[in-house]
Amino acid sequence: MIEASRAMDLPPHAAEGRLPIGEMLVAAGKLSARDLEQALAAQLEMQDLLGRILVRLGLLGELDLAQVLARQLQVPLAQAEEFPEDLLAVRGLSPDYLRQHRLLPLTIDETRLCVAMATPQDGFLLKAMRLASGLEVTPALALESEIEVALQRYFEVTDQEEGDEPRHDAGDSEFVEHLRDLATEAPVIRLVNQIIGRVVDMRASDIHLEPFEDVLQVRYRIDGVLQNEPPVPIDMAAAVTSRIKLMAHLNIAERRLPQDGRIKTRVKGREIDLRISTLPTVHGESVVIRVLDRASVRIELEKMGFASDILSQYRELLARPHGILLVTGPTGSGKTTTLYASLTKLDSATLKIVTVEDPVEYQLGGINQVQVQSQIGLDFAHSLRSILRQDPDVIMIGEMRDGETAQIAVQSALTGHLVLSTLHTNTAAGAVVRLVDMGIERYLITSTLNGVLSQRLVRRLCEACREPVELADSAIEAAGLARFMSRGSGRIIYRAAGCPVCKRTGYLGRTSIHELLLVDDPMVRAILDGSDANALHSLARSRGMRTLNEDGLRKVAEGVTSLEEVARVTQDQQDE
């Protein structure tokens, strides 16, 4: 197994007669033999350099690794204090190229270029620099984090000279260097890996790291509800935050403005995509890590909790060749997942399907997915105009955020495209009023809108511990369950209890509840007559629409969830 480290960490010219890096670390007393075996096992799965894996696992500090790796590769170790004061200009190597590959020119003369690299064993990169610059390239090893900080400083200086943001003062720079040092120490790396590593076992969708006066509170969102975990001592808060920012390639020197980034990693054999958001608060930076786990997402409509009648009607709307189909609900209600599941029901072999999303959460085979990049002007509206020139049959818009996007969506539907999108409204009927508020004429809404699906996510009762409850007839009537309880099955529903399987919560997993508003002839007339959301909702109910609350009560009667959970999720629907 030790030979695996030789191929990953040693350049071809240095492979002969050298001890593998793992053995050298053990011999130097930097690593135990047991830790090496653990890292080698992880390397087979993660397919990355052994040194990087050791650092990511928190088994080794970056500096300890660099000292031994420099000795193995027989290259000098360049430390931050040896970096040039200003970025050296090298013909053929653009600043963007240096930043992309984490390269930092140290010295240059007429024939030779010395470059600090995080991977001086990368023969392809050395050859590319030699061909681009026309110089002999001599590599030196440097810490990847130190290279990133230096490049960031160089570019900040350039921005200041061009009249952009002010440069940090010397005291601030020293503090940033201190943070970087703390963030690359093994205990901090190990702690961050433990925090992230628990998401799989806990089935968490988000991690919240919230700084307060005396602790850094750690909370996981599980089945839509936040749960507190043991906090991190406040004196480690800045180091933990900096470690996460380094992993997401964010600027650790910037602590005054929000930042967004992304980390791709593997946790217990599963590919995990982490979306990082930082927000300055009174006591430090609050960090939210959104977990996108491809293995856990369900993109099959049949497995998303649809009642058979609602699913049948929804499929009919999907089968229409043109028009708009909207999915509504608050943030975190599964709207995007429903749209993904809807797209998988369409025949991508015969249809041109294009999506525009912010961000692209999961990649779907056979479907063209466009990532919005507002910082370069590629917003929803701009993307949609370009997409229409691609001759699509089906367009999925991640979210209708403004009137311009809604106008283009309506025009697309009028010209023969099927448009799927989401809106943030509480009810299906509210989507119609929201479109009017966005400036869409009512006659255009009735000409293009096929239907609106509103949904929420409710927690499923843990089948290992749910407790039966027998209700009196009056209680069944008061709860609105009478129409869903079959007369022969008694008056039994279930409530949450709690056991080790569900971590004492009483719930395990989530399912969807829905209401589907169909734009039929009576609904068209009501929209054209200027009816408000309440009137449209009442009309839809009289036409057979089951509300979110009613669909939730059906699941209570089936033993899927509890009355308390449906009440929590649909409390804004109770009086309708």
Side-chain angles (χ1 to χ4, degrees):
M1 287 185 68
I2 290 178
E3 289 304 310
S5 67
R6 186 192 304 275
M8 294 298 292
D9 280 331
L10 219 54
H13 68 274
E16 292 301 323
R18 305 274 179 81
L19 279 176
I21 186 66
E23 290 185 11
M24 291 184 69
L25 288 165
V26 172
K30 305 288 188 182
L31 193 68
S32 70
R34 183 175 179 180
D35 286 342
L36 175 59
E37 289 298 316
Q38 177 188 346
L40 288 170
Q43 184 186 35
L44 293 176
E45 177 187 307
M46 300 168 73
Q47 294 298 302
D48 201 351
L49 296 176
L50 178 63
R52 284 180 178 168
I53 291 171
L54 288 166
V55 172
R56 285 174 63 184
L57 291 176
L59 299 173
L60 198 65
E62 270 192 286
L63 184 57
D64 289 336
L65 171 67
Q67 290 169 343
V68 176
L69 186 59
R71 198 160 65 246
Q72 183 212 40
L73 297 177
Q74 296 182 359
V75 297
L77 177 61
Q79 308 245 218
E81 55 268 21
E82 301 171 46
F83 295 168
E85 185 66 27
D86 299 308
L87 181 64
L88 300 180
V90 181
R91 182 175 57 84
L93 300 181
S94 69
D96 286 342
Y97 184 83
L98 298 177
R99 175 183 272 176
Q100 179 182 353
H101 296 284
R102 297 178 182 84
L103 305 171
L104 196 151
L106 296 174
T107 61
I108 184 173
D109 58 30
E110 293 181 358
T111 61
R112 187 174 299 275
L113 169 67
C114 182
V115 179
M117 306 171 60
T119 54
Q121 64 269 47
D122 190 335
F124 293 104
L125 198 50
L126 292 171
K127 183 177 180 180
M129 285 191 287
R130 179 171 57 81
L131 292 174
S133 66
L135 303 171
E136 284 300 317
V137 178
T138 302
L141 177 65
L143 300 187
E144 185 172 352
S145 58
E146 289 188 344
I147 293 175
E148 288 184 351
V149 169
L151 290 174
Q152 185 68 42
R153 177 171 59 84
Y154 293 149
F155 289 117
E156 282 180 359
V157 171
T158 302
D159 290 342
Q160 188 215 5
E161 290 172 351
E162 293 175 357
D164 291 343
E165 292 189 11
R167 184 176 177 175
H168 298 290
D169 59 31
D172 197 34
S173 297
E174 289 177 8
F175 180 67
V176 169
E177 288 295 314
H178 178 61
L179 280 182
R180 179 191 54 74
D181 291 341
L182 289 175
T184 56
E185 290 181 354
V188 174
I189 295 170
R190 191 179 298 116
L191 175 60
V192 171
N193 288 342
Q194 288 172 352
I195 291 172
I196 294 175
R198 298 191 66 193
V199 296
V200 171
D201 290 337
M202 299 186 74
R203 301 176 292 102
S205 60
D206 303 270
I207 308 171
H208 293 248
L209 303 173
E210 301 164 330
F212 294 102
E213 187 173 0
D214 51 353
V215 295
L216 177 67
Q217 183 63 58
V218 180
R219 301 202 287 175
Y220 293 85
R221 189 178 295 278
I222 302 169
D223 294 333
V225 178
L226 284 171
Q227 296 186 14
N228 288 353
E229 291 295 311
V232 173
I234 193 62
D235 57 357
M236 293 186 68
V240 168
T241 300
S242 296
R243 174 62 189 168
I244 294 170
K245 291 170 74 173
L246 283 174
M247 293 172 68
H249 303 298
L250 299 178
N251 180 10
I252 66 171
E254 182 54 80
R255 304 182 303 281
R256 303 159 301 171
L257 295 174
Q259 295 186 70
D260 295 296
R262 181 174 179 172
I263 302 171
K264 279 192 175 182
T265 186
R266 291 179 71 85
V267 176
K268 298 190 176 179
R270 286 157 70 161
E271 183 106 2
I272 303 290
D273 198 356
L274 306 175
R275 302 294 168 85
I276 312 300
S277 172
T278 69
L279 182 70
T281 68
V282 172
H283 297 292
E285 288 180 283
S286 173
V287 179
V288 174
I289 305 174
R290 186 179 182 196
V291 183
L292 301 179
D293 183 359
R294 294 180 179 86
S296 66
V297 68
R298 293 179 175 179
I299 51 175
E300 297 179 53
L301 285 175
E302 295 80 5
K303 296 181 180 179
M304 296 180 66
F306 278 92
S308 57
D309 54 339
I310 295 178
L311 181 58
S312 176
Q313 292 173 326
Y314 185 73
R315 279 175 163 168
E316 288 179 9
L317 296 178
L318 274 179
R320 296 188 184 181
H322 54 81
I324 297 175
L325 177 55
L326 295 176
V327 180
T328 73
T331 300
S333 59
K335 301 185 298 297
T336 302
T337 303
T338 296
L339 287 183
Y340 280 155
S342 303
L343 293 178
T344 63
K345 290 300 174 186
L346 301 173
D347 186 3
S348 60
T350 60
L351 296 172
K352 171 87 168 186
I353 304 175
V354 185
T355 75
V356 53
E357 307 168 58
D358 183 22
V360 174
E361 294 189 5
Y362 300 101
Q363 296 178 16
L364 305 175
I367 294 174
N368 301 276
Q369 295 174 267
V370 177
Q371 167 76 55
V372 167
Q373 299 186 61
S374 302
Q375 67 273 20
I376 60 172
L378 187 64
D379 55 15
F380 278 104
H382 189 195
S383 301
L384 277 173
R385 293 191 193 94
S386 300
I387 284 172
L388 290 173
R389 293 193 286 271
Q390 293 274 311
D391 188 29
D393 299 294
V394 180
I395 301 170
M396 192 269 268
I397 306 169
E399 182 185 345
M400 285 192 189
R401 294 182 178 175
D402 51 58
E404 186 179 10
T405 303
Q407 290 281 1
I408 299 172
V410 167
Q411 293 166 11
S412 303
L414 287 172
T415 52
H417 303 87
L418 177 62
V419 179
L420 310 180
S421 189
T422 69
L423 269 180
H424 286 286
T425 61
N426 290 329
T427 65
V432 175
V433 177
R434 179 64 55 82
L435 290 175
V436 173
D437 292 341
M438 285 181 166
I440 307 299
E441 297 290 344
R442 288 180 177 268
Y443 73 90
L444 290 175
I445 295 174
T446 58
S447 301
T448 56
L449 188 63
N450 294 335
V452 183
L453 179 76
S454 182
Q455 74 174 51
R456 300 285 192 281
L457 294 177
V458 295
R459 292 180 292 174
R460 301 178 68 98
L461 285 167
C462 174
E463 295 189 5
C465 66
R466 64 179 186 173
E467 293 180 348
V469 179
E470 185 171 359
L471 297 181
D473 289 341
S474 58
I476 291 175
E477 198 67 40
L481 285 165
R483 58 185 288 199
F484 304 107
M485 305 284 285
S486 58
R487 297 186 183 280
S489 65
R491 294 169 289 192
I492 300 296
I493 63 171
Y494 292 87
R495 68 183 176 193
C499 69
V501 174
C502 59
K503 295 181 172 57
R504 306 293 175 185
T505 65
Y507 298 95
L508 192 63
R510 290 191 289 180
T511 188
S512 306
I513 57 175
H514 307 91
E515 66 181 29
L516 181 60
L517 181 146
L518 302 175
V519 183
D520 52 15
D521 289 341
M523 186 62 64
V524 167
R525 288 193 292 272
I527 294 172
L528 291 174
D529 288 343
S531 299
D532 61 15
N534 289 334
L536 296 177
H537 185 78
S538 298
L539 174 61
R541 291 191 66 180
S542 70
R543 301 282 298 167
M545 182 185 78
R546 182 184 295 148
T547 67
L548 287 167
N549 183 252
E550 290 167 342
D551 195 39
L553 293 175
R554 179 183 63 82
K555 286 182 168 60
V556 171
E558 293 173 353
V560 174
T561 190
S562 66
L563 266 177
E564 293 80 8
E565 178 67 4
V566 170
R568 179 184 73 85
V569 172
T570 65
Q571 55 187 331
D572 58 338
Q573 312 282 305
Q574 298 296 311
D575 299 328
E576 295 180 358

